[in-house]
Amino acid sequence: MANPETLRAPVPAERMSRVKESPSSRVADRVREFRAAGRKVLPLTIGEPDFDTPDHVKEAAVAAIRAGETKYTSANGTPELQRAVTARLRRKTGQTYAPGEICVGGGAKQLIFLAFMATLDEGDEVVVPAPYWVSYPDMVTVNGGLPVVVPATADEGYKLTPERLRDALTDRTKWVVLNTPNNPTGAVYSEAELRALTDVVRDHPHVCVLCDEIYDEINYGARPVPSAVTVAPDLKERIFLVNGVSKAYAMTGWRIGYGAGPARLCAAVGTLQSQSSSCPSSVSQAAAVAALDGGREFVDRTVAVYTERRDLLVAGLAAIDGLRPTVPEGGFYVWVDASALLGSTTPSGKRVATDADLAEHFLDTSGVVVITGDSYGAPGHFRASFALSSEIIREAVAGLARSVESLRR
Ligand SMILES: Cc1ncc(COP(=O)(O)O)c(C=O)c1O
């Protein structure tokens, strides 16, 4: 009989104490639990397009399967996808990237993770403006780095200012993360704002910029969304652009992202990929080529729909006393200041002290689920998605209005 002493499960490594499950995944599980219990939920938490992947993309994947494109590819992607990415980046930024300056991975998320893994030594600092996408700080800490969270206020349009950036930089700073359009606030950096930030970076030769542009096609202003590399092409060697097909082409489950930047970094990312997943899915890569080469019809059509939903949600939230929504310039989320409701009391006499208390009250009283501001490093807020039908948005707004009205302030 086996000795029970030898049957112990592996003990998680110390580094696991530095990472937690993504709040978005946790909330998605919560929504599933509520539904399983037969309760109606209105999930304003959705972080992916509710549209189906375009048909021509699906057809390209089927054709790839039929043609036997079902083997390992090179770690940093097929030549076809590298070409399609290069062409897209040339259209967007005017810059020409050589094949060695492109890497392809299982989503923008994996590429950001691998870029930190490839570059951070213990104690290296990464400037992360808040409100931030939930994953950046954990990705930094699990890879031995130190996130330096720099708040960006409503008055600053929730954007990092050059002054705050300058104050945050130290000898240990390796990266500054810029996410434009931003999740959760929808803020988009203008060319002038990017120029002011890259001017600061230029003075600090040891600092690089990681630009997460995953929402760049979903924007409600000037096209294309300005990119740091466009305003500061001389810093191309120190800028890592990250993007992918998930959001623009409703392809979240296909898991293809791409990065562009210094050849040494792309090679390091490829090495890590070769020792972990080998390469991204060959079939998904063929689909991504069709998406990137396929013209603007899908993007233009879906952005028109998002625009209507955005206006509907913003107007609905703005009409609720106690909520202050920001009109997003990109992405499909509305960032809402709910600080006026903290300190209020629910009908059952419970004090609403935190974002979590408020979210719980919304869920209990109207079935509306939101993601709390503290998850994004900005308590007193919540994020509401509009990657949902107008009917659901209307219902959720009516529910939130009832929930807020029932609070004693
Ligand atoms: C800001 C931001 N970056 C990256 C990602 C990940 O995208 P992908 O599906 O390409 O991994 C997300 C997804 O929610 C995101 O919001």
Side-chain angles (χ1 to χ4, degrees), residues 47 106-110 112 133 136 179 181 183 212 214-215 243-247 252 255-257 333:
K109 194 175 208 168
Q110 191 200 23
I112 298 168
W133 179 44
Y136 301 133
N179 174 209
N183 172 10
D212 180 347
I214 191 75
Y215 292 97
N243 209 322
V245 294
S246 287
K247 314 286 179 177
T252 46
R255 308 309 304 128
I256 295 292
Y333 311 108

mmCIF file with all atom_site columns, all heavy atoms in Angstrom, residues 47 106-110 112 133 136 179 181 183 212 214-215 243-247 252 255-257 333, ligand 1:
data_model
loop_
_atom_site.group_PDB
_atom_site.id
_atom_site.type_symbol
_atom_site.label_atom_id
_atom_site.label_alt_id
_atom_site.label_comp_id
_atom_site.label_asym_id
_atom_site.label_entity_id
_atom_site.label_seq_id
_atom_site.pdbx_PDB_ins_code
_atom_site.Cartn_x
_atom_site.Cartn_y
_atom_site.Cartn_z
_atom_site.occupancy
_atom_site.B_iso_or_equiv
_atom_site.pdbx_formal_charge
_atom_site.auth_seq_id
_atom_site.auth_comp_id
_atom_site.auth_asym_id
_atom_site.auth_atom_id
_atom_site.pdbx_PDB_model_num
ATOM   1   N N   . GLY A 1 47  ? -16.665 41.010 -20.702 1.00 0.00 ? 47  GLY A N   1
ATOM   2   C CA  . GLY A 1 47  ? -15.411 41.606 -21.199 1.00 0.00 ? 47  GLY A CA  1
ATOM   3   C C   . GLY A 1 47  ? -15.080 41.168 -22.606 1.00 0.00 ? 47  GLY A C   1
ATOM   4   O O   . GLY A 1 47  ? -13.924 41.183 -23.012 1.00 0.00 ? 47  GLY A O   1
ATOM   5   N N   . GLY A 1 106 ? -0.663  33.406 -27.585 1.00 0.00 ? 106 GLY A N   1
ATOM   6   C CA  . GLY A 1 106 ? -2.043  33.001 -27.284 1.00 0.00 ? 106 GLY A CA  1
ATOM   7   C C   . GLY A 1 106 ? -2.819  34.132 -26.631 1.00 0.00 ? 106 GLY A C   1
ATOM   8   O O   . GLY A 1 106 ? -3.261  34.013 -25.491 1.00 0.00 ? 106 GLY A O   1
ATOM   9   N N   . GLY A 1 107 ? -2.965  35.222 -27.338 1.00 0.00 ? 107 GLY A N   1
ATOM   10  C CA  . GLY A 1 107 ? -3.675  36.393 -26.810 1.00 0.00 ? 107 GLY A CA  1
ATOM   11  C C   . GLY A 1 107 ? -2.685  37.469 -26.387 1.00 0.00 ? 107 GLY A C   1
ATOM   12  O O   . GLY A 1 107 ? -1.521  37.181 -26.072 1.00 0.00 ? 107 GLY A O   1
ATOM   13  N N   . ALA A 1 108 ? -3.185  38.718 -26.404 1.00 0.00 ? 108 ALA A N   1
ATOM   14  C CA  . ALA A 1 108 ? -2.369  39.841 -25.927 1.00 0.00 ? 108 ALA A CA  1
ATOM   15  C C   . ALA A 1 108 ? -1.950  39.577 -24.482 1.00 0.00 ? 108 ALA A C   1
ATOM   16  O O   . ALA A 1 108 ? -0.841  39.910 -24.062 1.00 0.00 ? 108 ALA A O   1
ATOM   17  C CB  . ALA A 1 108 ? -3.173  41.132 -26.021 1.00 0.00 ? 108 ALA A CB  1
ATOM   18  N N   . LYS A 1 109 ? -2.827  38.945 -23.728 1.00 0.00 ? 109 LYS A N   1
ATOM   19  C CA  . LYS A 1 109 ? -2.574  38.686 -22.315 1.00 0.00 ? 109 LYS A CA  1
ATOM   20  C C   . LYS A 1 109 ? -1.302  37.849 -22.140 1.00 0.00 ? 109 LYS A C   1
ATOM   21  O O   . LYS A 1 109 ? -0.436  38.169 -21.336 1.00 0.00 ? 109 LYS A O   1
ATOM   22  C CB  . LYS A 1 109 ? -3.781  37.940 -21.744 1.00 0.00 ? 109 LYS A CB  1
ATOM   23  C CG  . LYS A 1 109 ? -3.836  37.894 -20.246 1.00 0.00 ? 109 LYS A CG  1
ATOM   24  C CD  . LYS A 1 109 ? -5.157  37.236 -19.825 1.00 0.00 ? 109 LYS A CD  1
ATOM   25  C CE  . LYS A 1 109 ? -5.601  37.738 -18.476 1.00 0.00 ? 109 LYS A CE  1
ATOM   26  N NZ  . LYS A 1 109 ? -6.973  37.350 -18.155 1.00 0.00 ? 109 LYS A NZ  1
ATOM   27  N N   . GLN A 1 110 ? -1.178  36.798 -22.914 1.00 0.00 ? 110 GLN A N   1
ATOM   28  C CA  . GLN A 1 110 ? 0.000   35.943 -22.780 1.00 0.00 ? 110 GLN A CA  1
ATOM   29  C C   . GLN A 1 110 ? 1.271   36.709 -23.162 1.00 0.00 ? 110 GLN A C   1
ATOM   30  O O   . GLN A 1 110 ? 2.309   36.566 -22.521 1.00 0.00 ? 110 GLN A O   1
ATOM   31  C CB  . GLN A 1 110 ? -0.135  34.694 -23.661 1.00 0.00 ? 110 GLN A CB  1
ATOM   32  C CG  . GLN A 1 110 ? 0.944   33.673 -23.325 1.00 0.00 ? 110 GLN A CG  1
ATOM   33  C CD  . GLN A 1 110 ? 1.182   32.655 -24.427 1.00 0.00 ? 110 GLN A CD  1
ATOM   34  O OE1 . GLN A 1 110 ? 0.885   32.883 -25.587 1.00 0.00 ? 110 GLN A OE1 1
ATOM   35  N NE2 . GLN A 1 110 ? 1.736   31.523 -24.047 1.00 0.00 ? 110 GLN A NE2 1
ATOM   36  N N   . ILE A 1 112 ? 1.864   39.930 -22.905 1.00 0.00 ? 112 ILE A N   1
ATOM   37  C CA  . ILE A 1 112 ? 2.252   40.881 -21.849 1.00 0.00 ? 112 ILE A CA  1
ATOM   38  C C   . ILE A 1 112 ? 2.936   40.106 -20.715 1.00 0.00 ? 112 ILE A C   1
ATOM   39  O O   . ILE A 1 112 ? 3.988   40.499 -20.204 1.00 0.00 ? 112 ILE A O   1
ATOM   40  C CB  . ILE A 1 112 ? 1.016   41.664 -21.331 1.00 0.00 ? 112 ILE A CB  1
ATOM   41  C CG1 . ILE A 1 112 ? 0.399   42.486 -22.469 1.00 0.00 ? 112 ILE A CG1 1
ATOM   42  C CG2 . ILE A 1 112 ? 1.406   42.573 -20.176 1.00 0.00 ? 112 ILE A CG2 1
ATOM   43  C CD1 . ILE A 1 112 ? -0.974  43.071 -22.162 1.00 0.00 ? 112 ILE A CD1 1
ATOM   44  N N   . TRP A 1 133 ? -6.017  47.916 -16.082 1.00 0.00 ? 133 TRP A N   1
ATOM   45  C CA  . TRP A 1 133 ? -6.564  46.579 -16.373 1.00 0.00 ? 133 TRP A CA  1
ATOM   46  C C   . TRP A 1 133 ? -6.109  45.643 -15.266 1.00 0.00 ? 133 TRP A C   1
ATOM   47  O O   . TRP A 1 133 ? -4.931  45.651 -14.888 1.00 0.00 ? 133 TRP A O   1
ATOM   48  C CB  . TRP A 1 133 ? -6.062  46.094 -17.731 1.00 0.00 ? 133 TRP A CB  1
ATOM   49  C CG  . TRP A 1 133 ? -6.554  44.728 -18.109 1.00 0.00 ? 133 TRP A CG  1
ATOM   50  C CD1 . TRP A 1 133 ? -7.828  44.245 -17.973 1.00 0.00 ? 133 TRP A CD1 1
ATOM   51  C CD2 . TRP A 1 133 ? -5.781  43.669 -18.684 1.00 0.00 ? 133 TRP A CD2 1
ATOM   52  N NE1 . TRP A 1 133 ? -7.894  42.954 -18.432 1.00 0.00 ? 133 TRP A NE1 1
ATOM   53  C CE2 . TRP A 1 133 ? -6.641  42.570 -18.871 1.00 0.00 ? 133 TRP A CE2 1
ATOM   54  C CE3 . TRP A 1 133 ? -4.445  43.531 -19.063 1.00 0.00 ? 133 TRP A CE3 1
ATOM   55  C CZ2 . TRP A 1 133 ? -6.229  41.360 -19.417 1.00 0.00 ? 133 TRP A CZ2 1
ATOM   56  C CZ3 . TRP A 1 133 ? -4.018  42.336 -19.615 1.00 0.00 ? 133 TRP A CZ3 1
ATOM   57  C CH2 . TRP A 1 133 ? -4.913  41.269 -19.792 1.00 0.00 ? 133 TRP A CH2 1
ATOM   58  N N   . TYR A 1 136 ? -2.435  43.657 -14.931 1.00 0.00 ? 136 TYR A N   1
ATOM   59  C CA  . TYR A 1 136 ? -1.047  44.140 -14.966 1.00 0.00 ? 136 TYR A CA  1
ATOM   60  C C   . TYR A 1 136 ? -0.295  43.936 -13.643 1.00 0.00 ? 136 TYR A C   1
ATOM   61  O O   . TYR A 1 136 ? 0.806   43.376 -13.646 1.00 0.00 ? 136 TYR A O   1
ATOM   62  C CB  . TYR A 1 136 ? -0.965  45.624 -15.360 1.00 0.00 ? 136 TYR A CB  1
ATOM   63  C CG  . TYR A 1 136 ? -1.540  46.005 -16.696 1.00 0.00 ? 136 TYR A CG  1
ATOM   64  C CD1 . TYR A 1 136 ? -2.375  47.112 -16.816 1.00 0.00 ? 136 TYR A CD1 1
ATOM   65  C CD2 . TYR A 1 136 ? -1.229  45.299 -17.853 1.00 0.00 ? 136 TYR A CD2 1
ATOM   66  C CE1 . TYR A 1 136 ? -2.906  47.496 -18.033 1.00 0.00 ? 136 TYR A CE1 1
ATOM   67  C CE2 . TYR A 1 136 ? -1.756  45.678 -19.079 1.00 0.00 ? 136 TYR A CE2 1
ATOM   68  C CZ  . TYR A 1 136 ? -2.603  46.782 -19.161 1.00 0.00 ? 136 TYR A CZ  1
ATOM   69  O OH  . TYR A 1 136 ? -3.132  47.172 -20.368 1.00 0.00 ? 136 TYR A OH  1
ATOM   70  N N   . ASN A 1 179 ? -2.162  51.955 -21.678 1.00 0.00 ? 179 ASN A N   1
ATOM   71  C CA  . ASN A 1 179 ? -3.256  51.182 -22.253 1.00 0.00 ? 179 ASN A CA  1
ATOM   72  C C   . ASN A 1 179 ? -4.241  52.168 -22.882 1.00 0.00 ? 179 ASN A C   1
ATOM   73  O O   . ASN A 1 179 ? -4.914  52.918 -22.181 1.00 0.00 ? 179 ASN A O   1
ATOM   74  C CB  . ASN A 1 179 ? -3.912  50.359 -21.119 1.00 0.00 ? 179 ASN A CB  1
ATOM   75  C CG  . ASN A 1 179 ? -5.156  49.605 -21.543 1.00 0.00 ? 179 ASN A CG  1
ATOM   76  O OD1 . ASN A 1 179 ? -6.049  49.367 -20.740 1.00 0.00 ? 179 ASN A OD1 1
ATOM   77  N ND2 . ASN A 1 179 ? -5.230  49.216 -22.798 1.00 0.00 ? 179 ASN A ND2 1
ATOM   78  N N   . PRO A 1 181 ? -7.084  52.479 -26.241 1.00 0.00 ? 181 PRO A N   1
ATOM   79  C CA  . PRO A 1 181 ? -8.080  52.890 -25.261 1.00 0.00 ? 181 PRO A CA  1
ATOM   80  C C   . PRO A 1 181 ? -7.970  52.060 -23.986 1.00 0.00 ? 181 PRO A C   1
ATOM   81  O O   . PRO A 1 181 ? -7.603  50.893 -24.053 1.00 0.00 ? 181 PRO A O   1
ATOM   82  C CB  . PRO A 1 181 ? -9.413  52.628 -25.961 1.00 0.00 ? 181 PRO A CB  1
ATOM   83  C CG  . PRO A 1 181 ? -9.111  52.563 -27.419 1.00 0.00 ? 181 PRO A CG  1
ATOM   84  C CD  . PRO A 1 181 ? -7.702  52.064 -27.523 1.00 0.00 ? 181 PRO A CD  1
ATOM   85  N N   . ASN A 1 183 ? -8.961  50.104 -20.560 1.00 0.00 ? 183 ASN A N   1
ATOM   86  C CA  . ASN A 1 183 ? -9.921  49.303 -19.809 1.00 0.00 ? 183 ASN A CA  1
ATOM   87  C C   . ASN A 1 183 ? -9.541  49.499 -18.357 1.00 0.00 ? 183 ASN A C   1
ATOM   88  O O   . ASN A 1 183 ? -8.405  49.160 -17.989 1.00 0.00 ? 183 ASN A O   1
ATOM   89  C CB  . ASN A 1 183 ? -9.773  47.812 -20.203 1.00 0.00 ? 183 ASN A CB  1
ATOM   90  C CG  . ASN A 1 183 ? -10.600 46.892 -19.323 1.00 0.00 ? 183 ASN A CG  1
ATOM   91  O OD1 . ASN A 1 183 ? -11.421 47.343 -18.543 1.00 0.00 ? 183 ASN A OD1 1
ATOM   92  N ND2 . ASN A 1 183 ? -10.379 45.595 -19.444 1.00 0.00 ? 183 ASN A ND2 1
ATOM   93  N N   . ASP A 1 212 ? -0.461  48.748 -24.621 1.00 0.00 ? 212 ASP A N   1
ATOM   94  C CA  . ASP A 1 212 ? -1.504  47.748 -24.820 1.00 0.00 ? 212 ASP A CA  1
ATOM   95  C C   . ASP A 1 212 ? -2.626  48.429 -25.612 1.00 0.00 ? 212 ASP A C   1
ATOM   96  O O   . ASP A 1 212 ? -3.338  49.282 -25.093 1.00 0.00 ? 212 ASP A O   1
ATOM   97  C CB  . ASP A 1 212 ? -1.987  47.262 -23.454 1.00 0.00 ? 212 ASP A CB  1
ATOM   98  C CG  . ASP A 1 212 ? -3.084  46.214 -23.553 1.00 0.00 ? 212 ASP A CG  1
ATOM   99  O OD1 . ASP A 1 212 ? -3.653  46.030 -24.641 1.00 0.00 ? 212 ASP A OD1 1
ATOM   100 O OD2 . ASP A 1 212 ? -3.390  45.603 -22.515 1.00 0.00 ? 212 ASP A OD2 1
ATOM   101 N N   . ILE A 1 214 ? -5.137  46.830 -27.359 1.00 0.00 ? 214 ILE A N   1
ATOM   102 C CA  . ILE A 1 214 ? -6.070  45.768 -27.733 1.00 0.00 ? 214 ILE A CA  1
ATOM   103 C C   . ILE A 1 214 ? -7.460  46.306 -28.141 1.00 0.00 ? 214 ILE A C   1
ATOM   104 O O   . ILE A 1 214 ? -8.158  45.675 -28.924 1.00 0.00 ? 214 ILE A O   1
ATOM   105 C CB  . ILE A 1 214 ? -6.192  44.715 -26.594 1.00 0.00 ? 214 ILE A CB  1
ATOM   106 C CG1 . ILE A 1 214 ? -6.936  43.453 -27.039 1.00 0.00 ? 214 ILE A CG1 1
ATOM   107 C CG2 . ILE A 1 214 ? -6.840  45.282 -25.347 1.00 0.00 ? 214 ILE A CG2 1
ATOM   108 C CD1 . ILE A 1 214 ? -6.174  42.528 -27.906 1.00 0.00 ? 214 ILE A CD1 1
ATOM   109 N N   . TYR A 1 215 ? -7.830  47.496 -27.626 1.00 0.00 ? 215 TYR A N   1
ATOM   110 C CA  . TYR A 1 215 ? -9.161  48.043 -27.980 1.00 0.00 ? 215 TYR A CA  1
ATOM   111 C C   . TYR A 1 215 ? -9.076  49.094 -29.091 1.00 0.00 ? 215 TYR A C   1
ATOM   112 O O   . TYR A 1 215 ? -10.027 49.856 -29.290 1.00 0.00 ? 215 TYR A O   1
ATOM   113 C CB  . TYR A 1 215 ? -9.826  48.681 -26.750 1.00 0.00 ? 215 TYR A CB  1
ATOM   114 C CG  . TYR A 1 215 ? -10.201 47.661 -25.691 1.00 0.00 ? 215 TYR A CG  1
ATOM   115 C CD1 . TYR A 1 215 ? -9.374  47.413 -24.607 1.00 0.00 ? 215 TYR A CD1 1
ATOM   116 C CD2 . TYR A 1 215 ? -11.388 46.932 -25.789 1.00 0.00 ? 215 TYR A CD2 1
ATOM   117 C CE1 . TYR A 1 215 ? -9.710  46.462 -23.644 1.00 0.00 ? 215 TYR A CE1 1
ATOM   118 C CE2 . TYR A 1 215 ? -11.733 45.988 -24.834 1.00 0.00 ? 215 TYR A CE2 1
ATOM   119 C CZ  . TYR A 1 215 ? -10.892 45.756 -23.776 1.00 0.00 ? 215 TYR A CZ  1
ATOM   120 O OH  . TYR A 1 215 ? -11.227 44.816 -22.828 1.00 0.00 ? 215 TYR A OH  1
ATOM   121 N N   . ASN A 1 243 ? -1.185  43.918 -29.223 1.00 0.00 ? 243 ASN A N   1
ATOM   122 C CA  . ASN A 1 243 ? -2.524  44.003 -29.783 1.00 0.00 ? 243 ASN A CA  1
ATOM   123 C C   . ASN A 1 243 ? -3.000  42.570 -30.061 1.00 0.00 ? 243 ASN A C   1
ATOM   124 O O   . ASN A 1 243 ? -2.326  41.604 -29.689 1.00 0.00 ? 243 ASN A O   1
ATOM   125 C CB  . ASN A 1 243 ? -2.500  44.850 -31.065 1.00 0.00 ? 243 ASN A CB  1
ATOM   126 C CG  . ASN A 1 243 ? -3.823  45.554 -31.304 1.00 0.00 ? 243 ASN A CG  1
ATOM   127 O OD1 . ASN A 1 243 ? -4.890  45.007 -31.045 1.00 0.00 ? 243 ASN A OD1 1
ATOM   128 N ND2 . ASN A 1 243 ? -3.757  46.775 -31.805 1.00 0.00 ? 243 ASN A ND2 1
ATOM   129 N N   . GLY A 1 244 ? -4.127  42.428 -30.723 1.00 0.00 ? 244 GLY A N   1
ATOM   130 C CA  . GLY A 1 244 ? -4.621  41.089 -31.013 1.00 0.00 ? 244 GLY A CA  1
ATOM   131 C C   . GLY A 1 244 ? -5.946  41.158 -31.743 1.00 0.00 ? 244 GLY A C   1
ATOM   132 O O   . GLY A 1 244 ? -6.418  42.246 -32.096 1.00 0.00 ? 244 GLY A O   1
ATOM   133 N N   . VAL A 1 245 ? -6.514  39.994 -31.971 1.00 0.00 ? 245 VAL A N   1
ATOM   134 C CA  . VAL A 1 245 ? -7.756  39.949 -32.751 1.00 0.00 ? 245 VAL A CA  1
ATOM   135 C C   . VAL A 1 245 ? -8.995  39.763 -31.867 1.00 0.00 ? 245 VAL A C   1
ATOM   136 O O   . VAL A 1 245 ? -10.119 39.829 -32.357 1.00 0.00 ? 245 VAL A O   1
ATOM   137 C CB  . VAL A 1 245 ? -7.694  38.818 -33.816 1.00 0.00 ? 245 VAL A CB  1
ATOM   138 C CG1 . VAL A 1 245 ? -6.639  39.133 -34.867 1.00 0.00 ? 245 VAL A CG1 1
ATOM   139 C CG2 . VAL A 1 245 ? -7.427  37.455 -33.189 1.00 0.00 ? 245 VAL A CG2 1
ATOM   140 N N   . SER A 1 246 ? -8.793  39.569 -30.553 1.00 0.00 ? 246 SER A N   1
ATOM   141 C CA  . SER A 1 246 ? -9.908  39.218 -29.660 1.00 0.00 ? 246 SER A CA  1
ATOM   142 C C   . SER A 1 246 ? -11.080 40.193 -29.720 1.00 0.00 ? 246 SER A C   1
ATOM   143 O O   . SER A 1 246 ? -12.226 39.796 -29.905 1.00 0.00 ? 246 SER A O   1
ATOM   144 C CB  . SER A 1 246 ? -9.429  39.177 -28.202 1.00 0.00 ? 246 SER A CB  1
ATOM   145 O OG  . SER A 1 246 ? -8.652  38.048 -27.966 1.00 0.00 ? 246 SER A OG  1
ATOM   146 N N   . LYS A 1 247 ? -10.763 41.475 -29.525 1.00 0.00 ? 247 LYS A N   1
ATOM   147 C CA  . LYS A 1 247 ? -11.847 42.451 -29.323 1.00 0.00 ? 247 LYS A CA  1
ATOM   148 C C   . LYS A 1 247 ? -12.366 42.971 -30.663 1.00 0.00 ? 247 LYS A C   1
ATOM   149 O O   . LYS A 1 247 ? -13.566 43.049 -30.878 1.00 0.00 ? 247 LYS A O   1
ATOM   150 C CB  . LYS A 1 247 ? -11.363 43.615 -28.456 1.00 0.00 ? 247 LYS A CB  1
ATOM   151 C CG  . LYS A 1 247 ? -10.586 43.204 -27.218 1.00 0.00 ? 247 LYS A CG  1
ATOM   152 C CD  . LYS A 1 247 ? -11.438 42.621 -26.111 1.00 0.00 ? 247 LYS A CD  1
ATOM   153 C CE  . LYS A 1 247 ? -10.543 42.230 -24.933 1.00 0.00 ? 247 LYS A CE  1
ATOM   154 N NZ  . LYS A 1 247 ? -11.245 41.718 -23.777 1.00 0.00 ? 247 LYS A NZ  1
ATOM   155 N N   . THR A 1 252 ? -12.330 36.243 -29.103 1.00 0.00 ? 252 THR A N   1
ATOM   156 C CA  . THR A 1 252 ? -11.686 36.023 -27.795 1.00 0.00 ? 252 THR A CA  1
ATOM   157 C C   . THR A 1 252 ? -11.281 34.564 -27.575 1.00 0.00 ? 252 THR A C   1
ATOM   158 O O   . THR A 1 252 ? -10.249 34.291 -26.986 1.00 0.00 ? 252 THR A O   1
ATOM   159 C CB  . THR A 1 252 ? -12.603 36.490 -26.650 1.00 0.00 ? 252 THR A CB  1
ATOM   160 O OG1 . THR A 1 252 ? -13.922 35.997 -26.907 1.00 0.00 ? 252 THR A OG1 1
ATOM   161 C CG2 . THR A 1 252 ? -12.655 37.988 -26.549 1.00 0.00 ? 252 THR A CG2 1
ATOM   162 N N   . ARG A 1 255 ? -7.799  32.958 -29.249 1.00 0.00 ? 255 ARG A N   1
ATOM   163 C CA  . ARG A 1 255 ? -6.548  33.187 -28.536 1.00 0.00 ? 255 ARG A CA  1
ATOM   164 C C   . ARG A 1 255 ? -5.366  33.519 -29.450 1.00 0.00 ? 255 ARG A C   1
ATOM   165 O O   . ARG A 1 255 ? -4.391  32.778 -29.521 1.00 0.00 ? 255 ARG A O   1
ATOM   166 C CB  . ARG A 1 255 ? -6.190  31.992 -27.615 1.00 0.00 ? 255 ARG A CB  1
ATOM   167 C CG  . ARG A 1 255 ? -7.252  31.527 -26.670 1.00 0.00 ? 255 ARG A CG  1
ATOM   168 C CD  . ARG A 1 255 ? -7.880  32.633 -25.804 1.00 0.00 ? 255 ARG A CD  1
ATOM   169 N NE  . ARG A 1 255 ? -6.936  33.390 -25.038 1.00 0.00 ? 255 ARG A NE  1
ATOM   170 C CZ  . ARG A 1 255 ? -6.888  34.728 -25.052 1.00 0.00 ? 255 ARG A CZ  1
ATOM   171 N NH1 . ARG A 1 255 ? -7.714  35.457 -25.813 1.00 0.00 ? 255 ARG A NH1 1
ATOM   172 N NH2 . ARG A 1 255 ? -6.034  35.361 -24.313 1.00 0.00 ? 255 ARG A NH2 1
ATOM   173 N N   . ILE A 1 256 ? -5.472  34.619 -30.132 1.00 0.00 ? 256 ILE A N   1
ATOM   174 C CA  . ILE A 1 256 ? -4.315  35.107 -30.897 1.00 0.00 ? 256 ILE A CA  1
ATOM   175 C C   . ILE A 1 256 ? -4.067  36.591 -30.576 1.00 0.00 ? 256 ILE A C   1
ATOM   176 O O   . ILE A 1 256 ? -4.965  37.424 -30.694 1.00 0.00 ? 256 ILE A O   1
ATOM   177 C CB  . ILE A 1 256 ? -4.508  34.945 -32.424 1.00 0.00 ? 256 ILE A CB  1
ATOM   178 C CG1 . ILE A 1 256 ? -4.591  33.470 -32.818 1.00 0.00 ? 256 ILE A CG1 1
ATOM   179 C CG2 . ILE A 1 256 ? -3.357  35.634 -33.192 1.00 0.00 ? 256 ILE A CG2 1
ATOM   180 C CD1 . ILE A 1 256 ? -3.307  32.654 -32.647 1.00 0.00 ? 256 ILE A CD1 1
ATOM   181 N N   . GLY A 1 257 ? -2.851  36.861 -30.136 1.00 0.00 ? 257 GLY A N   1
ATOM   182 C CA  . GLY A 1 257 ? -2.419  38.243 -29.930 1.00 0.00 ? 257 GLY A CA  1
ATOM   183 C C   . GLY A 1 257 ? -1.078  38.420 -30.608 1.00 0.00 ? 257 GLY A C   1
ATOM   184 O O   . GLY A 1 257 ? -0.442  37.448 -31.013 1.00 0.00 ? 257 GLY A O   1
ATOM   185 N N   . TYR A 1 333 ? -16.722 49.727 -22.287 1.00 0.00 ? 333 TYR A N   1
ATOM   186 C CA  . TYR A 1 333 ? -17.037 49.814 -20.867 1.00 0.00 ? 333 TYR A CA  1
ATOM   187 C C   . TYR A 1 333 ? -17.332 51.263 -20.493 1.00 0.00 ? 333 TYR A C   1
ATOM   188 O O   . TYR A 1 333 ? -16.740 52.180 -21.062 1.00 0.00 ? 333 TYR A O   1
ATOM   189 C CB  . TYR A 1 333 ? -15.850 49.361 -20.013 1.00 0.00 ? 333 TYR A CB  1
ATOM   190 C CG  . TYR A 1 333 ? -15.253 48.039 -20.440 1.00 0.00 ? 333 TYR A CG  1
ATOM   191 C CD1 . TYR A 1 333 ? -14.015 47.980 -21.073 1.00 0.00 ? 333 TYR A CD1 1
ATOM   192 C CD2 . TYR A 1 333 ? -15.934 46.857 -20.197 1.00 0.00 ? 333 TYR A CD2 1
ATOM   193 C CE1 . TYR A 1 333 ? -13.458 46.771 -21.456 1.00 0.00 ? 333 TYR A CE1 1
ATOM   194 C CE2 . TYR A 1 333 ? -15.383 45.634 -20.582 1.00 0.00 ? 333 TYR A CE2 1
ATOM   195 C CZ  . TYR A 1 333 ? -14.152 45.596 -21.213 1.00 0.00 ? 333 TYR A CZ  1
ATOM   196 O OH  . TYR A 1 333 ? -13.605 44.402 -21.595 1.00 0.00 ? 333 TYR A OH  1
HETATM 197 C C1  . LIG B 2 .   ? -6.592  45.959 -21.549 1.00 0.00 ? 1   LIG B C1  1
HETATM 198 C C2  . LIG B 2 .   ? -6.581  44.551 -21.978 1.00 0.00 ? 1   LIG B C2  1
HETATM 199 N N1  . LIG B 2 .   ? -5.447  44.026 -22.471 1.00 0.00 ? 1   LIG B N1  1
HETATM 200 C C3  . LIG B 2 .   ? -5.386  42.745 -22.906 1.00 0.00 ? 1   LIG B C3  1
HETATM 201 C C4  . LIG B 2 .   ? -6.495  41.925 -22.842 1.00 0.00 ? 1   LIG B C4  1
HETATM 202 C C5  . LIG B 2 .   ? -6.349  40.491 -23.302 1.00 0.00 ? 1   LIG B C5  1
HETATM 203 O O1  . LIG B 2 .   ? -6.685  40.304 -24.614 1.00 0.00 ? 1   LIG B O1  1
HETATM 204 P P1  . LIG B 2 .   ? -6.453  38.885 -25.326 1.00 0.00 ? 1   LIG B P1  1
HETATM 205 O O2  . LIG B 2 .   ? -7.809  38.253 -25.464 1.00 0.00 ? 1   LIG B O2  1
HETATM 206 O O3  . LIG B 2 .   ? -5.833  39.207 -26.645 1.00 0.00 ? 1   LIG B O3  1
HETATM 207 O O4  . LIG B 2 .   ? -5.553  38.078 -24.459 1.00 0.00 ? 1   LIG B O4  1
HETATM 208 C C6  . LIG B 2 .   ? -7.688  42.424 -22.336 1.00 0.00 ? 1   LIG B C6  1
HETATM 209 C C7  . LIG B 2 .   ? -8.872  41.537 -22.227 1.00 0.00 ? 1   LIG B C7  1
HETATM 210 O O5  . LIG B 2 .   ? -9.809  41.794 -21.503 1.00 0.00 ? 1   LIG B O5  1
HETATM 211 C C8  . LIG B 2 .   ? -7.737  43.767 -21.905 1.00 0.00 ? 1   LIG B C8  1
HETATM 212 O O6  . LIG B 2 .   ? -8.868  44.293 -21.418 1.00 0.00 ? 1   LIG B O6  1
#
